[in-house]
Amino acid sequence: HPAADGGEGEGRELGGSRLGLGVGGGLDGELDKGLCGEEGVGPSAATNLPPPHQPLPPAAPAAKRKRVVAVVSARVRAGHDLRELLTKVKLLERAGSSTQAAEIVDEQISRPEPSDHLARKRADELQRNLFSIGDWNLTVAALEKFLALPAVARLRQRDAPAPKRTDQVDADTATELLVAAKTFFTAIMRSSGRRTAEDMNAFWAGAAALLPPDLFENRHGRAAMRILGVHYRVIQRGTVVRAALEDRAKGWIRLVYRGHKDRLDLRALTEWWHTEGSTEDNANKQAYRIYHSEGDNQEEPSSCPRWSCSTSTRCCA
């Protein structure tokens, strides 16, 4: 009764309220029951939240996801092992251990051959994968890249050694050397007239260095003509010079050539020059004295003047 008791009644009201919250008795306890309900349905029960002065319960741990492991078939495992094996073979060959690499390859090749039916089935699978890539150009580009892979290239060679990095460089150098040889014969040693003895020796020494003796037996003579750009007779004689060089086994022997002589018959011109052409009426005349001797006579040779006479001894005969 707040009006009669004043603050003391207020205190009892507050005490009763505390008593109602604590033990659920008294008037305030009944009021609290009426607000919360007999079954505990109220604001706190509706939201399932604890009182403010209590901490929230810890969250339940998340359920662990089960790890799904893909089942790999036996043929897929065999393919993976083969790729690792080819990588190992390549590394051995690059390191110079060709014997060990050859042993691994021989062991793989010695295994039983697959049946033709199984090989056709796998070929059909490759065909379906290949023709599911894209259009013409993309399919061709992908196929070329696939065949150029080191493992695929080594697999296609079977027991042959794997190509080295220097193989392509050596092939390019061989082509360059052949071009240089053709330039030597067709440009450097080209001559519009007779070659000197030194040029002839250099020419045939170069030909003998390039042309094997059995070139024509292997039916490669015309191919050598096209590569070196020389005539058929040059190729033929070059093989003969090479064969003689191998038979002697003493190195190069200098080729000796006699002095060249013209095959033109100049007797008619010489006769005219010493008869009608040797007159005092010719212009720009100049007298020459020619000495000649007869037989083995070592005495002072006689001389005779001639107009425009050549050095032949027959002019004074």
Side-chain angles (χ1 to χ4, degrees), residues 3 23 42 45 101 118-119 123 128 145 164 179 187 190 193 222 228 241 275 296 302:
V23 296
L118 181 59
R128 287 194 297 270
K145 295 293 185 182
K164 300 179 181 179
V179 173
R190 184 179 180 180
R222 295 193 178 276
L228 297 179
V241 175
T275 56
D296 296 333
S302 59

Side-chain angles (χ1 to χ4, degrees), residues 36-292:
C36 299
E38 293 295 337
E39 303 297 333
V41 178
S44 300
T47 56
N48 295 325
L49 293 177
H53 60 276
Q54 293 184 4
L56 293 175
K64 294 184 179 180
R65 295 181 179 180
K66 295 182 178 181
R67 185 176 181 181
V68 179
V69 179
V71 178
V72 181
S73 61
R75 70 166 189 169
V76 175
R77 288 197 302 269
H80 293 172
D81 295 341
L82 177 60
R83 183 171 59 183
E84 294 178 359
L85 186 66
L86 289 172
T87 303
K88 180 180 179 181
V89 169
K90 181 183 176 183
L91 294 177
L92 289 174
E93 290 175 343
R94 182 179 296 180
S97 302
S98 302
T99 304
Q100 187 176 357
E103 292 177 357
I104 298 176
V105 175
D106 293 340
E107 181 184 357
Q108 294 295 319
I109 296 176
S110 62
R111 294 185 177 183
E113 294 288 338
S115 63
D116 186 66
H117 175 69
L118 181 59
R120 284 199 304 268
K121 288 180 60 177
R122 299 296 184 262
D124 292 338
E125 293 180 9
L126 285 176
Q127 184 179 6
R128 287 194 297 270
N129 292 331
L130 177 64
F131 291 106
S132 62
I133 295 176
D135 58 359
W136 181 299
N137 294 331
L138 180 58
T139 303
V140 172
L143 180 60
E144 291 179 354
K145 295 293 185 182
F146 174 74
L147 295 177
L149 293 175
V152 178
R154 186 64 185 88
L155 183 63
R156 294 176 63 194
Q157 293 176 358
R158 291 179 67 87
D159 55 346
K164 300 179 181 179
R165 294 183 178 180
T166 57
D167 291 345
Q168 185 62 36
V169 179
D170 294 346
D172 296 339
T173 306
T175 304
E176 187 177 354
L177 292 177
L178 291 177
V179 173
K182 183 176 182 180
T183 305
F184 174 79
F185 289 111
T186 59
I188 298 177
M189 300 304 297
R190 184 179 180 180
S191 177
S192 57
R194 296 187 181 95
R195 296 186 179 92
T196 61
E198 289 76 10
D199 290 344
M200 293 295 289
N201 278 269
F203 185 90
W204 292 116
L210 295 173
L211 303 175
D214 56 350
L215 185 65
F216 288 96
E217 296 178 4
N218 298 331
R219 305 181 66 86
H220 294 159
R222 295 193 178 276
M225 290 172 52
R226 293 189 295 270
I227 294 175
L228 297 179
V230 295
H231 196 267
Y232 180 84
R233 290 194 296 267
V234 174
I235 300 297
Q236 189 175 18
R237 186 177 177 184
T239 57
V240 173
V241 175
R242 174 62 177 269
L245 186 63
E246 292 181 358
D247 293 340
R248 288 193 302 266
K250 294 183 179 180
W252 180 259
I253 297 179
R254 179 179 175 82
L255 302 177
V256 180
Y257 293 91
R258 296 180 179 179
H260 299 285
K261 295 183 180 180
D262 295 329
R263 297 182 178 181
L264 182 61
D265 189 3
L266 300 177
R267 287 179 297 180
L269 180 61
T270 303
E271 184 179 356
W272 175 86
W273 185 259
H274 290 285
T275 56
E276 298 179 3
S278 180
T279 61
E280 297 182 1
D281 297 334
N282 293 335
N284 300 324
K285 296 184 295 295
Q286 190 173 2
Y288 292 91
R289 183 170 298 275
I290 296 180
Y291 297 91
H292 66 90

